[in-house]
Amino acid sequence: MSIKPPDRTSPAEPPKAPGLLRSSGVVGIMTMLSRVLGLVRDMVIARYFGAGTAADAFFVAFKIPNFLRRLFAEGAFNQAFVPVLSSYRHQQSISEVRRLVNAVAGSLGLVLLGVTLIAMLGAPVLTAVFAPGFMDDAEKFSLASDMLRITFPYLLLVSLTAFAGSILNSYDRFAIPAFTPVLLNLTMIAAAVFLSPLMKTPVMALAWGVLIAGALQLFFQLPFLMRLGLLPRPKVDYRHEGVKRILTLMAPALFGVSVSQINLMLDTVLASFLQTGSVSWLYYSDRLAELPLGVFGIAIATVILPNLSRKHAGESIDQFTATLDWAVRGVLLIGMPAALALALLAEPLIATLFYYGEVTARDVGMSAQSLRAYSVGLLAFMLIKVLAPGYFARQNTRTPVKIGIIAMVANMAMNLILIFPLAHAGLALATSLSAWLNAGLLWRGLKKEGAWRSQPGWRKFFLQLLAANGALCVAIVYLQAPVASWLAAGGVQRATDMAILVVVGALVYFVALALAGVRVRHFRLK
């Protein structure tokens, strides 16, 4: 590829790239807002629809396009597109960057449109594949299929949204893509509250809310692309060199970055054979586990991928390895206390957020079982998010594929073993254990290839973490009330008590870190 100087029409570049800590903080804050609203959304859904037939049907209809979105758009596509775009930015003129963006927009859009039309026509087939247990319940199966026809176009819209967000992230405009999911949550809340009472089948309002949200998310980002001078003019061009590279990287990346999502979907498939409510119990517990994963794990991964891609393109090996080491330390700093808190406060958290309306005390207990099982793998889920970019930034997709296949096969085997004694919680535990296998193999591969080298101070840092997390556990055990008290309390009282627990726990943890010698300056990295 010939190297050309940038032309005068290039988008404005910031005089100085923001630090990784600051960028991660921006993404984390925006993602926190989105995830909190996501929990509010799920609280509203729980209040209006509980954990019965209607809720199970909607969660399947929503999970299918959402799963494919994470698999293709935010998973394989993002990990393939960002390194190629970074390479073009580093080595080509802005006119070539625009050509790449236009060709990708047209080629991606055409494929997504075709997939969407086929899926809408074959909605019952997809429902049978992803929730075969529903076939024994004609009402549930029909309802899920009808809603899938409405929700599936969300894949087209949100994939194009992810494409736009990848461009913005590559130019260090992290806030807008991180804020965009807020629109989904607000729209679904409005649909549940205002639209569902007007519909013959109230739960259908949620499906329409998903579709409307997809359109809002896409159009929200377009003005910011225009400001960058990179608003796409779609052109179908599969012969474009950059498109070919992206497609080559995407195929194996489907497994390498999205194994966790595939495992979660397998949980849904098997849960559809279990008693009614199992799909919803897994959904509610997964949503809680997703909060720290999204706010911190995905935030760090979002920031480091374009950073690592630029450092690889510029052959800055030492900076590349230092960035990966920084990301792993950041994940441990937040992931360890988050996992412990989810395990120790499973019932209180589920009760605080979802014990309203149609949700029963039994639903709280069942959801808490799977939440504890997911908490076992939370740290591994977060590590996967930051270790996988170490491969994709170097345009190495083969290794993560091999690791992903191993982890997925292990998950299937453990699902079949653990589902009998532990039911839906066994599915969650199998997902967590396979995530640890995935993360461990990714780390070993990076170390073997020289892409990750531990920086000085790891032993001291680990001891500091142990001390702070020990203090956190003591505080939680001492302060929390029995489960029966949480179930007997009103919603306001539960929320107040949980807020006090969270604030006190966070204070204890960070004061303990400070006393152990951890400082913010230790995590500043360019």
Side-chain angles (χ1 to χ4, degrees):
M1 181 183 295
S2 60
I3 300 178
K4 302 178 182 179
D7 61 29
R8 294 182 180 179
T9 61
S10 63
E13 296 283 355
K16 187 177 181 181
L20 290 178
L21 182 60
R22 179 183 173 185
S23 297
S24 298
V26 170
V27 177
I29 291 171
M30 293 297 181
T31 308
M32 172 67 82
L33 175 61
S34 171
R35 294 304 169 109
V36 169
L37 282 172
L39 289 175
V40 173
R41 176 196 78 191
D42 291 334
M43 291 168 64
V44 171
I45 292 175
R47 187 179 188 91
Y48 277 75
F49 304 104
T53 296
D56 278 4
F58 168 71
F59 290 141
V60 167
F62 183 42
K63 268 194 170 185
I64 294 173
N66 210 35
F67 162 72
L68 294 174
R69 182 261 303 181
R70 292 180 178 183
L71 189 65
F72 293 103
E74 295 177 1
F77 172 76
N78 182 61
Q79 301 287 13
F81 175 62
V82 170
V84 173
L85 179 60
S86 296
S87 175
Y88 267 68
R89 279 190 63 196
H90 189 77
Q91 299 175 336
Q92 294 285 341
S93 66
I94 184 58
S95 59
E96 288 299 317
V97 172
R98 289 196 181 106
R99 283 189 60 222
L100 172 67
V101 168
N102 294 340
V104 172
S107 304
L108 176 67
L110 182 62
V111 170
L112 289 170
L113 180 61
V115 170
T116 298
L117 292 175
I118 293 171
M120 292 174 69
L121 292 173
V125 176
L126 280 176
T127 304
V129 170
F130 284 93
F134 283 13
M135 296 179 71
D136 294 332
D137 187 332
E139 178 186 358
K140 188 188 292 188
F141 183 84
S142 177
L143 185 58
S145 299
D146 290 342
M147 284 194 287
L148 183 57
R149 290 191 178 94
I150 300 171
T151 60
F152 203 91
Y154 175 73
L155 174 64
L156 167 64
L157 296 167
V158 82
S159 295
L160 294 176
T161 300
F163 164 64
S166 296
I167 298 173
L168 293 170
N169 285 337
S170 294
Y171 282 84
D172 298 321
R173 272 63 166 186
F174 297 108
I176 298 306
F179 175 80
T180 300
V182 168
L183 300 175
L184 170 66
N185 298 322
L186 290 175
T187 304
M188 290 185 66
I189 291 170
V193 175
F194 300 110
L195 185 58
S196 64
L198 305 177
M199 304 199 72
K200 182 178 179 181
T201 305
V203 76
M204 294 292 287
L206 296 178
W208 285 109
V210 170
L211 179 60
I212 294 169
L216 290 176
Q217 288 176 300
L218 175 59
F219 289 109
F220 174 71
Q221 296 202 49
L222 297 185
F224 298 96
L225 286 180
M226 186 181 298
R227 190 177 302 172
L228 268 181
L230 290 173
L231 182 67
R233 296 181 179 179
K235 179 181 179 182
V236 179
D237 185 4
Y238 292 103
R239 296 182 179 180
H240 188 282
E241 188 269 344
V243 173
K244 290 181 179 179
R245 284 171 60 191
I246 291 168
L247 290 175
T248 300
L249 293 171
M250 270 189 69
L254 288 173
F255 283 98
V257 77
S258 303
V259 168
S260 294
Q261 298 306 318
I262 294 172
N263 288 342
L264 288 172
M265 185 54 70
L266 287 174
D267 291 350
T268 302
V269 170
L270 292 174
S272 70
F273 289 101
L274 300 175
Q275 59 183 304
T276 295
S278 296
V279 173
S280 298
W281 299 331
L282 283 170
Y283 177 83
Y284 291 136
S285 56
D286 175 49
R287 290 296 298 160
L288 266 171
E290 285 277 339
L291 180 60
L293 174 62
V295 172
F296 302 107
I298 296 177
I300 294 174
T302 298
V303 169
I304 66 169
L305 177 59
N307 187 283
L308 288 172
S309 299
R310 288 195 294 269
K311 286 172 180 174
H312 176 66
E315 298 184 354
S316 304
I317 305 301
D318 291 339
Q319 292 181 19
F320 187 99
T321 59
T323 299
L324 269 181
D325 185 87
W326 172 87
V328 172
R329 293 190 192 213
V331 161
L332 292 176
L333 187 74
I334 300 299
M336 287 180 68
L340 290 171
L342 288 180
L344 293 172
L345 295 172
E347 284 91 355
L349 282 167
I350 295 290
T352 300
L353 294 172
F354 303 122
Y355 188 43
Y356 305 95
E358 300 296 323
V359 175
T360 66
R362 180 170 179 269
D363 292 328
V364 172
M366 291 295 191
S367 296
Q369 290 179 16
S370 48
L371 178 57
R372 285 198 175 90
Y374 280 136
S375 72
V376 172
L378 176 63
L379 191 55
F381 297 143
M382 296 175 75
L383 286 171
I384 290 168
K385 292 296 181 183
V386 300
L387 292 175
Y391 293 91
F392 294 110
R394 296 179 295 126
Q395 300 185 29
N396 172 7
T397 55
R398 293 184 180 273
T399 303
V401 166
K402 296 175 183 177
I403 293 172
I405 292 174
I406 293 170
M408 189 167 63
V409 171
N411 179 71
M412 292 180 191
M414 287 186 285
N415 271 337
L416 296 176
I417 294 170
L418 296 175
I419 191 173
F420 293 104
L422 300 176
H424 69 290
L427 301 177
L429 182 59
T431 300
S432 293
L433 295 177
S434 68
W436 276 111
L437 176 62
N438 193 352
L441 292 175
L442 285 172
W443 174 79
R444 189 180 71 172
L446 287 171
K447 187 176 181 182
K448 184 178 180 181
E449 294 173 9
W452 184 84
R453 294 194 297 269
S454 61
Q455 305 298 299
W458 259 102
R459 179 175 297 179
K460 179 181 178 181
F461 178 63
F462 191 70
L463 291 175
Q464 291 167 328
L465 283 180
L466 287 180
N469 281 282
L472 173 66
C473 290
V474 171
I476 290 177
V477 171
Y478 178 76
L479 291 174
Q480 72 167 317
V483 175
S485 299
W486 288 91
L487 296 175
V492 175
Q493 184 64 50
R494 290 197 299 267
T496 302
D497 292 345
M498 181 54 66
I500 293 172
L501 264 177
V502 170
V503 171
V504 172
L507 284 174
V508 168
Y509 178 68
F510 286 109
V511 168
L513 281 176
L515 292 174
V518 177
R519 299 290 184 268
V520 173
R521 66 176 181 271
H522 299 157
F523 289 87
R524 290 198 176 104
L525 184 69
K526 293 297 180 185

